[in-house]
């Protein structure tokens, strides 16, 4: 799946790289930027979710849920933040689907069934908001990178901050986990 800063989502076949679905102008004029999207499998249906950035109001984002025909089926009204990153997690322990978002203020998780806020992952030592740009979910932990130069690792279910690592006062963008051992981070300088 690819996204555009101007409210379109395209879904590609990974085998032959053919664009199989193209959704243009998913958002109203108030939400011109889509930063992230993901799929969720729920009740034998596949949906895709988009996170957006409001151009008119600072914290007025809603997570929008679409079916594979591009019809909006729901939204999560509790989100109320400008969201850069979105992903999903299924917890066998709780038999629940969760949505995880990286936002301006903090990282959040939502229960998909009830469309409600589950946890806020907030570092109280931060004096001003810094954008949380990328997230990995790994064995009930959230690993996130942000523009304040820190990687933070949280317990998913308790929202307790487990570890905080500073990376040379750089902006941290993308993050991925390789071989369950190494974090690869896209930084502003190196």
């Amino acid at each position: 799946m690819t996204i555009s800063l101007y409210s379109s989502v395209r879904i590609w076949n990974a085998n032959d790289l053919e664009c199989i679905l193209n959704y243009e102008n998913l958002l109203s004029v108030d939400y011109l930027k889509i930063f992230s999207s993901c799929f969720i499998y729920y009740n034998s249906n596949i949906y895709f979710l988009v996170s957006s950035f409001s151009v008119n109001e600072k914290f007025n984002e809603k997570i929008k849920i679409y079916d594979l025909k591009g019809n909006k089926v729901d939204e999560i009204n509790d989100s109320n933040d400008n969201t850069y990153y979105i992903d999903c997690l299924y917890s066998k322990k709780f038999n629940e689907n969760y949505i995880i978002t990286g936002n301006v203020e903090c990282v959040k998780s939502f229960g998909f069934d009830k469309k409600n806020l589950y946890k806020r992952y907030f570092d109280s030592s931060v004096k001003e908001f810094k954008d949380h740009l990328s997230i990995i979910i790994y064995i009930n932990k959230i690993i996130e990178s942000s523009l304040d130069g820190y990687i933070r690792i949280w317990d998913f279910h308790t929202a307790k901050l487990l570890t905080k690592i500073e990376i040379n006062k750089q902006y941290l963008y993308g993050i991925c986990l390789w071989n369950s051992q190494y974090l690869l981070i896209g930084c502003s300088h190196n």
Side-chain angles (χ1 to χ4, degrees), residues 65-129:
I65 303 165
Y66 295 89
D67 64 20
L68 287 183
K69 294 180 181 178
N71 301 311
K72 183 177 160 189
V73 295
D74 209 342
E75 66 182 27
I76 297 179
N77 293 318
D78 228 0
S79 49
N80 290 330
D81 202 345
N82 287 322
T83 299
Y84 294 104
Y85 184 85
I86 188 169
D87 203 352
C88 298
L89 165 74
Y90 176 73
S91 171
K92 288 182 183 179
K93 180 178 179 180
F94 294 102
N95 190 29
E96 174 74 75
N97 285 289
Y98 295 97
I99 301 165
I100 294 87
T101 61
N103 310 289
V104 171
E105 177 185 310
C106 63
V107 174
K108 296 178 186 175
S109 59
F110 301 90
F112 187 77
D113 293 332
K114 297 177 184 173
K115 312 292 186 285
N116 63 332
L117 181 67
Y118 178 63
K119 297 287 181 185
R120 290 178 77 239
Y121 308 87
F122 185 78
D123 184 350
S124 60
S125 70
V126 175
K127 302 292 185 259
E128 61 183 70
F129 298 147

Side-chain angles (χ1 to χ4, degrees), residues 56 73 88 139 152-153 160:
N56 292 330
V73 295
C88 298
I139 310 177
R152 291 176 180 84
I153 302 175
K160 178 182 178 186

